[in-house]
């Protein structure tokens, strides 16, 4: 491999890096490849750790952006808040630390980190989410139990507001259209000019013009990105500047500028609502089934009966809003809990959460920690 070919490989690698985004463990990604319908990306990626993983967007056609939606994390309740932590004894299973409102003396924010009583307790995906968390925490801890219940019900209902989510999607599409067209114009122009220059002067002669064109494109797209991002997220100045600096000093990553904006568009909505907006009907129904099973069967790692009772209130409130939303969307709820067909004659049970089938009749799913169902019958 020549030095020129090595340099081109480096440019290609940085381009692909720009098409990747980090997905925290508690969020869901929505991705489209080569104009295919949007699909949900859940579970672990080959590149990741116990806190999250890398999601690869379409590497060839940066026209359909990548979206993210955050699950209920932290979990608010009338008595306190449960913040997701990592169980040191079992890194694969998340646990929650419950904090009562009466024990919260000081709530602070530093970038995307939330500090309670002087200790770092939560790290949000963006400063906006951290700011929202701090605002909600401050408001709830200054209210009584009745006021908190009313406020929390409103918070849950707003997360399932399909009209607001569709309006957000329409507004962002109009706002991002110019940035998308500009990015794709630069990509097509640079690729075409490089191929023509290579055919006439060879790879060595086309390398310097390629690097120069990438830097000019990075500067131009960074300018457009900065103004588009400021219109969409006026308070995210620090994140906006850091993205611009990354684009300028690493030009091939600039073609991921659209994803840098769309990744945070639906941060205030439930993932099932985002699936209804961007996915086709089949994918939305499949994701709805997983959402219902996850809410019904997943359990928080909290042993205190008072704390669990408080969080069960939040679970029931969320379940009610989710059921109302799915019924309005035309999803048949009993279908969500329908048992899978046995994959083979040796399969004796299945996990009601992940639907993995096993050959034993008693025990728990090693991935979910849920007791398996010994019969292939629907759970109502």
């Amino acid at each position: 491999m020549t030095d020129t070919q090595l340099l081109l490989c480096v440019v290609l690698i940085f381009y692909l890096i720009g098409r990747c985004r980090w997905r925290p463990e508690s969020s869901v990604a929505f991705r489209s490849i080569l104009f295919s319908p949007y699909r949900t990306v859940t579970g672990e990626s080959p590149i990741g750790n116990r806190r999250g993983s890398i999601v690869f967007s379409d590497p060839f056609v940066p026209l359909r952006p990548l979206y993210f939606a955050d699950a209920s994390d932290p979990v608010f309740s009338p008595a306190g808040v449960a913040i997701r932590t990592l169980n040191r004894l079992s890194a694969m299973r998340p646990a929650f630390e419950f904090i009562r409102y009466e024990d919260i003396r000081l709530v602070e924010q530093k970038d995307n980190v939330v500090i309670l009583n002087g200790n770092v307790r939560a790290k949000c995906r963006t400063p906006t989410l951290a700011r929202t968390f701090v605002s909600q925490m401050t408001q709830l801890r200054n209210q009584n139990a009745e006021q908190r219940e009313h406020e929390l019900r409103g918070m849950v209902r707003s997360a399932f507001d399909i009209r607001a989510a569709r309006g957000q999607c329409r507004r962002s599409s109009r706002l991002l259209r110019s940035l998308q067209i500009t990015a794709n114009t630069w990509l097509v122009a640079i690729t075409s000019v490089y191929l023509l220059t290579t055919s006439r002067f060879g790879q060595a002669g086309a390398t310097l013009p390629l690097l120069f064109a990438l830097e000019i494109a990075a500067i131009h797209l960074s300018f457009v990105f900065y103004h588009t991002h400021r219109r969409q997220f006026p308070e995210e100045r620090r994140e906006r500047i850091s993205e611009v600096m990354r684009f300028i000093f690493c030009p091939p990553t600039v073609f991921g500028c659209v994803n840098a904006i769309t990744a945070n568009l639906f941060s205030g909505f439930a993932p099932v609502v985002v699936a209804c907006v961007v996915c086709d009907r089949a994918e939305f129904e499949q994701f709805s089934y997983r959402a219902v099973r996850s809410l019904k069967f997943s359990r928080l790692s909290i042993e205190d009966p008072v704390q669990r009772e408080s969080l069960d209130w939040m679970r029931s409130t969320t379940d009610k809003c989710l059921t109302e939303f799915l019924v309005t969307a035309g999803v048949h709820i009993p279908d969500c809990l329908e048992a899978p067909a046995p994959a083979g004659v040796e399969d004796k049970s299945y996990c009601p959460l992940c639907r993995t089938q096993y050959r034993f009749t008693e025990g728990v799913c090693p991935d979910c920690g849920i007791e398996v169902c010994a019969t292939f019958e629907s759970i109502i």
Side-chain angles (χ1 to χ4, degrees):
M1 179 180 293
T2 63
D3 293 341
T4 300
Q5 292 173 338
L6 179 61
L7 180 60
L8 293 177
C9 289
V10 172
V11 171
L12 179 60
I13 290 174
F14 279 118
Y15 171 79
L16 295 177
I17 290 176
R19 305 297 298 154
C20 302
R21 303 297 296 183
W22 176 261
R23 182 187 69 87
E25 189 269 342
S26 60
S27 67
V28 179
F30 299 85
R31 177 181 62 191
S32 171
I33 302 294
L34 293 177
F35 294 103
S36 63
Y38 272 96
R39 294 289 183 264
T40 58
V41 180
T42 56
E44 295 184 353
S45 167
I47 302 179
N49 55 30
R50 62 181 185 174
R51 296 185 181 274
S53 57
I54 295 292
V55 176
F56 298 91
S57 61
D58 192 339
F60 304 107
V61 188
L63 283 174
R64 308 197 73 181
L66 190 68
Y67 296 106
F68 286 87
D70 297 288
S72 298
D73 183 21
V75 180
F76 289 99
S77 68
V81 58
I83 301 177
R84 183 182 296 264
T85 60
L86 288 173
N87 190 338
R88 297 180 179 179
L89 299 179
S90 179
M92 298 299 296
R93 297 178 184 175
F96 285 80
E97 177 186 5
F98 189 86
I99 305 175
R100 298 179 182 273
Y101 295 114
E102 293 78 8
D103 299 330
I104 300 176
R105 301 181 303 274
L106 181 64
V107 184
E108 298 176 299
Q109 175 202 357
K110 185 176 182 181
D111 295 333
N112 63 332
V113 175
V114 177
I115 303 174
L116 301 180
N117 300 333
N119 297 321
V120 175
R121 295 300 180 94
K123 186 176 182 180
C124 302
R125 187 160 55 84
T126 65
T128 297
L129 293 177
R131 190 179 302 109
T132 302
F133 180 20
V134 171
S135 176
Q136 293 172 341
M137 179 71 70
T138 303
Q139 182 176 3
L140 290 172
R141 74 189 186 99
N142 294 326
Q143 296 176 339
N144 55 42
E146 183 178 353
Q147 292 173 331
R148 289 170 185 162
E149 288 191 13
H150 177 76
E151 185 70 23
L152 290 173
R153 287 195 178 95
M155 289 169 51
V156 176
R157 284 194 298 267
S158 64
F160 290 91
D161 191 344
I162 185 64
R163 292 184 179 179
R166 286 173 176 164
Q168 178 80 311
C169 187
R170 287 193 297 268
R171 290 190 298 270
S172 65
S173 298
R174 292 193 297 266
L175 183 62
L176 293 172
R177 188 172 295 114
S178 175
L179 180 60
Q180 289 176 298
I181 294 175
T182 305
N184 283 277
T185 301
W186 270 111
L187 182 62
V188 172
I190 291 176
T191 304
S192 302
V193 172
Y194 174 74
L195 293 176
L196 292 175
T197 307
T198 302
S199 63
R200 183 170 182 178
F201 302 102
Q203 287 184 342
T207 301
L208 186 59
L210 172 64
L211 298 179
F212 181 77
L214 285 174
E215 188 61 43
I216 296 300
I219 295 175
H220 182 213
L221 287 174
S222 296
F223 178 81
V224 180
F225 165 82
Y226 184 89
H227 289 279
T228 305
H229 191 279
R230 186 173 62 178
R231 291 178 60 186
Q232 185 67 47
F233 305 104
E235 299 180 352
E236 299 291 349
R237 184 174 182 274
R238 185 185 182 91
E239 183 180 359
R240 182 163 52 247
I241 293 178
S242 64
E243 291 285 355
V244 169
M245 298 300 292
R246 181 170 68 93
F247 296 154
I248 292 178
F249 287 103
C250 190
T253 63
V254 75
F255 296 103
C257 57
V258 176
N259 289 339
I261 297 178
T262 58
N264 302 324
L265 283 176
F266 295 106
S267 58
F269 297 97
V272 67
V273 176
V274 182
C276 182
V277 173
V278 303
C279 298
D280 59 13
R281 182 67 186 183
E283 180 69 14
F284 164 64
E285 289 184 351
Q286 291 299 320
F287 186 75
S288 299
Y289 297 166
R290 294 196 297 268
V292 172
R293 292 196 300 268
S294 177
L295 185 62
K296 180 177 180 61
F297 297 109
S298 62
R299 292 293 181 266
L300 302 181
S301 302
I302 296 179
E303 298 180 356
D304 188 296
V306 177
Q307 298 175 4
R308 180 169 294 279
E309 180 182 358
S310 179
L311 294 182
D312 284 343
W313 176 91
M314 190 62 178
R315 182 188 294 273
S316 63
T317 303
T318 304
D319 180 66
K320 180 180 178 180
C321 292
L322 175 62
T323 302
E324 292 177 353
F325 168 76
L326 293 180
V327 170
T328 303
V331 177
H332 191 223
I333 301 298
D335 293 343
C336 303
L337 304 175
E338 185 178 355
V345 295
E346 296 181 350
D347 293 319
K348 305 298 183 182
S349 63
Y350 73 97
C351 174
L353 182 57
C354 66
R355 296 164 67 89
T356 302
Q357 300 184 19
Y358 300 100
R359 297 181 179 180
F360 53 82
T361 57
E362 295 182 358
V364 297
C365 175
D367 296 325
C368 306
I370 303 297
E371 186 175 354
V372 299
C373 294
T375 57
F376 287 84
E377 298 179 355
S378 298
I379 303 173
I380 304 299

